[in-house]
Amino acid sequence: MMSDQLLQQLVDEIKDIKVSMATKHDLESFATKDYIDQVETRLSEKIDRNSNQIVRNTEHLNDLSESRKRHDKILEILSLRSIEQEGALKS
C-alpha cells in the first residue's frame, strides 16, 4: 500500500500538471496552421509588391541621375561658350 507521503506527492504533481496544462479556451486563441499560411502568403505578396516598387524607383532614380548628368554637361558647355563669346566681344 502506498504511503500517505507518496500519495500526497502524486496529488501535488497532478495539481501542478493541471495548473500548467493548456485549456480548451487557451487553445482557441492559438493561431491555426491555415491562418499562419494565409498571413505568410499575404506578407509574401506585400514583400513582392514592395520589391517591385523598389526596383521601379531605383530605375527612375538612375534615369534621373543620368538626365542630371546630361544637363550638367550641357550647362558646362553653354557656360564655356558664353565665356568664350564674352571674351570675343571684349577683344
Side-chain angles (χ1 to χ4, degrees), residues 34-91:
D34 287 340
Y35 177 77
I36 292 171
D37 288 344
Q38 289 172 3
V39 169
E40 183 180 23
T41 299
R42 286 195 308 265
L43 286 175
S44 179
E45 289 169 356
K46 286 181 181 183
I47 289 170
D48 288 345
R49 276 195 311 269
N50 288 343
S51 294
N52 290 337
Q53 186 63 51
I54 289 169
V55 167
R56 285 192 302 273
N57 290 349
T58 301
E59 289 170 351
H60 289 295
L61 284 172
N62 288 338
D63 291 345
L64 285 172
S65 177
E66 287 301 315
S67 178
R68 185 194 55 79
K69 287 177 186 176
R70 283 192 306 273
H71 288 161
D72 287 350
K73 188 66 174 170
I74 290 169
L75 285 174
E76 183 181 334
I77 292 168
L78 290 174
S79 295
L80 287 173
R81 285 183 186 168
S82 176
I83 291 170
E84 289 172 356
Q85 287 175 352
E86 189 177 324
L89 288 175
K90 288 183 179 178
S91 302

Side-chain angles (χ1 to χ4, degrees), residues 18-38:
K18 188 175 179 181
V19 166
S20 63
M21 220 169 63
T23 65
K24 180 180 176 185
H25 177 70
D26 294 333
L27 296 176
E28 288 172 352
S29 65
F30 285 6
T32 64
K33 183 181 180 325
D34 287 340
Y35 177 77
I36 292 171
D37 288 344
Q38 289 172 3

Side-chain angles (χ1 to χ4, degrees), residues 2-13:
M2 287 197 220
S3 70
D4 287 343
Q5 184 180 8
L6 181 59
L7 187 57
Q8 187 59 44
Q9 283 179 330
L10 287 173
V11 168
D12 290 344
E13 283 187 43

